Amino acid sequence: MTDRQAGEFPLSKDWSVPAELQRPTASVVSNLVIIMLASEMMGNDLIELVGELQAEHARFNKWCGGFAKSSLESSEISRRSSEARVLIRSLYMAWSSFSRKFEDGGRKRLTAIDERSALKVALREANQGLAALREA
């Protein structure tokens, strides 16, 4: 992937974004949100957190393109963008673990309880982390 949406944080050099996150949009986060929302594995509690993720991501991008761009050194913006990438990578890893365990367990509701809990934590951490990066 080369071009990103305005304000979208660039790809991390130490994480190759999986092909499934490279489409249908130019946004890795939006693509992850689409994948999660399209899944039959998500309960309303997780769907709510995924919606918050999309909102926090939009706020972060808006902040990067506005306040940060005009008020912060480029090195500080890069540092915060790098931290955002770590949050999203961790979230994707939690999603992948949950999805894989659920599928391997025959799509039975109680087969991926620990992974579901870890995904919920990762969603909360991503949401809180993206918000904190705007305020730090």
Side-chain angles (χ1 to χ4, degrees):
M1 236 187 266
T2 54
D3 294 321
R4 308 301 310 153
Q5 291 176 332
E8 171 85 4
F9 45 84
L11 299 178
S12 172
K13 292 177 183 173
D14 60 345
W15 185 48
S16 295
V17 175
E20 71 178 327
L21 296 182
Q22 295 180 23
R23 57 189 173 305
T25 76
S27 169
V28 171
V29 175
S30 293
N31 293 338
L32 179 56
V33 164
I34 290 167
I35 290 167
M36 289 191 285
L37 290 177
S39 168
E40 297 172 2
M41 301 178 279
M42 303 291 281
N44 288 328
D45 57 333
L46 294 177
I47 290 170
E48 179 180 21
L49 290 169
V50 170
E52 290 172 14
L53 173 67
Q54 186 64 55
E56 285 300 340
H57 177 246
R59 289 180 194 117
F60 182 77
N61 284 338
K62 183 178 171 184
W63 175 84
C64 281
F67 174 81
K69 190 175 184 180
S70 65
S71 303
L72 298 176
E73 299 283 331
S74 61
S75 61
E76 180 61 16
I77 297 170
S78 292
R79 182 190 69 76
R80 292 183 194 203
S81 293
S82 179
E83 289 182 32
R85 286 189 300 272
V86 170
L87 292 167
I88 300 310
R89 180 179 57 212
S90 295
L91 175 57
Y92 177 72
M93 296 305 174
W95 163 255
S96 295
S97 293
F98 173 60
S99 178
R100 187 171 39 256
K101 180 79 174 215
F102 187 79
E103 292 297 330
D104 290 349
R107 302 176 61 87
K108 294 181 182 155
R109 196 173 137 244
L110 300 176
T111 59
I113 292 174
D114 292 340
E115 291 79 7
R116 187 183 195 286
S117 294
L119 175 59
K120 195 171 190 175
V121 167
L123 278 162
R124 285 188 178 133
E125 288 175 352
N127 292 341
Q128 292 167 356
L130 287 171
L133 288 171
R134 291 191 324 268
E135 299 165 6

